[in-house]
Amino acid sequence: MTLSPDEIAERKMRFIYAIRSRGVLDARVLEAMERIDRGAFVRGIFAERAYDDVPLPIACGQTISQPSVVALMTQALDVGPRDKVLEIGTGSGYQAAILSLLARRVYTVERHRQLAQDARAVFERLNLANITCIRGDGSHGLPEQAPFDRIIVTAAAEDPPGPLLAQLRIDGIMVVPVGQTDHVQSLIRVTRGPDGYDYEELCPVRFVPLVDGVADG
Ligand code: SAH
């Protein structure tokens, strides 16, 4: 099914409305969500649902997150234009693309080679030149580029991974879904102060698990 320009415009309007009604009112975040076309990150039969506020399947048995959750996490991360951001779990690349409009530099790590390759191709097509996508095990972070102003984890861990906490700059913020796999998890915002870390619970979420090691494909 090919959508007409009018249908696409209407779906995009509803898309932004759904995000606003979940409490995302930060103008920079809303603008980024308007500018990055989610349709570029979803393939095949799911493409026609790209502007619905639902998670959708992508390759390697993974999912592209629900747009309102992407928006909420981005707003909670409070990214500034000079920030260096680390994302763990590239998936489709959609979250990284949104962040790339708000930050100076985005590093994103994915354990599946296929997903990392596909995401790099989309970043190139959309001219998002400030994103570096690395295939690797993100539970160790990216020590060679640390420290980071902001860290976002888009897969659920039982606890915020220690190496990621260590790679957060003082005054930095990390957003991470925490909880047991296959259960409702909590989105946590960690702020690093001069003497330690503050933890704040934001809302219930549901993510695929953070898995140790790189995948075969
Ligand atoms: N942010 C993505 C959605 C992520 S789905 C988007 O915008 O589309 C979670 C992703 O985390 C999956 O692609 C999964 O393969 C990846 N992942 C899980 N454990 C990982 C790990 N240890 N290191 C890197 N990536 C991991």
Side-chain angles (χ1 to χ4, degrees):
M1 182 181 86
T2 318
L3 297 172
S4 74
D6 275 357
E7 281 167 325
I8 292 183
E10 195 199 313
R11 284 185 190 212
K12 286 188 173 173
M13 245 156 67
R14 273 196 274 135
F15 176 82
I16 294 297
Y17 180 78
I19 291 166
R20 290 183 69 102
S21 53
R22 285 287 301 265
V24 177
L25 299 173
D26 183 319
R28 291 184 68 228
V29 175
L30 289 170
E31 197 195 321
M33 299 292 299
E34 269 191 75
R35 275 180 56 197
I36 298 291
D37 182 0
R38 190 169 182 250
F41 298 86
V42 189
R43 274 170 241 308
I45 55 163
F46 299 109
E48 68 181 65
R49 302 198 61 196
Y51 310 117
D52 292 352
D53 191 23
V54 291
L56 293 170
I58 54 172
C60 307
Q62 305 301 314
T63 50
I64 176 172
S65 313
Q66 187 177 346
S68 59
V69 172
V70 171
L72 278 167
M73 288 175 82
T74 308
Q75 178 168 268
L77 205 58
D78 192 20
V79 181
R82 302 194 54 76
D83 286 351
K84 180 164 74 167
V85 181
L86 173 65
E87 179 194 29
I88 306 304
T90 312
S92 68
Y94 180 61
Q95 172 75 73
I98 299 287
L99 292 169
S100 78
L101 298 187
L102 302 169
R104 178 171 58 83
R105 194 109 199 63
V106 178
Y107 293 90
T108 179
V109 184
E110 170 56 54
R111 66 189 289 277
H112 284 282
R113 179 183 288 125
Q114 181 66 54
L115 290 173
Q117 270 171 6
D118 290 353
R120 281 188 206 113
V122 185
F123 300 150
E124 203 162 309
R125 188 145 56 77
L126 300 183
N127 270 321
L128 303 173
N130 62 341
I131 310 177
T132 306
C133 179
I134 296 126
R135 193 256 185 155
D137 179 0
S139 358
H140 306 300
L142 204 58
E144 61 273 29
Q145 297 296 342
F148 295 94
D149 303 293
R150 300 289 184 263
I151 299 179
I152 179 169
V153 187
T154 62
E158 280 194 29
D159 292 300
L164 298 184
L165 289 171
Q167 290 170 32
L168 192 60
R169 191 188 294 284
I170 306 251
D171 288 333
I173 298 175
M174 171 155 83
V175 173
V176 51
V178 168
Q180 306 262 320
T181 313
D182 288 338
H183 286 68
V184 172
Q185 307 132 4
S186 285
L187 189 63
I188 306 284
R189 175 163 53 194
V190 185
T191 308
R192 182 169 194 177
D195 307 313
Y197 298 86
D198 269 345
Y199 296 82
E200 186 189 344
E201 207 172 313
L202 300 179
C203 59
V205 282
R206 193 161 184 169
F207 276 86
V208 297
L210 189 72
V211 179
D212 277 340
V214 289
D216 291 336

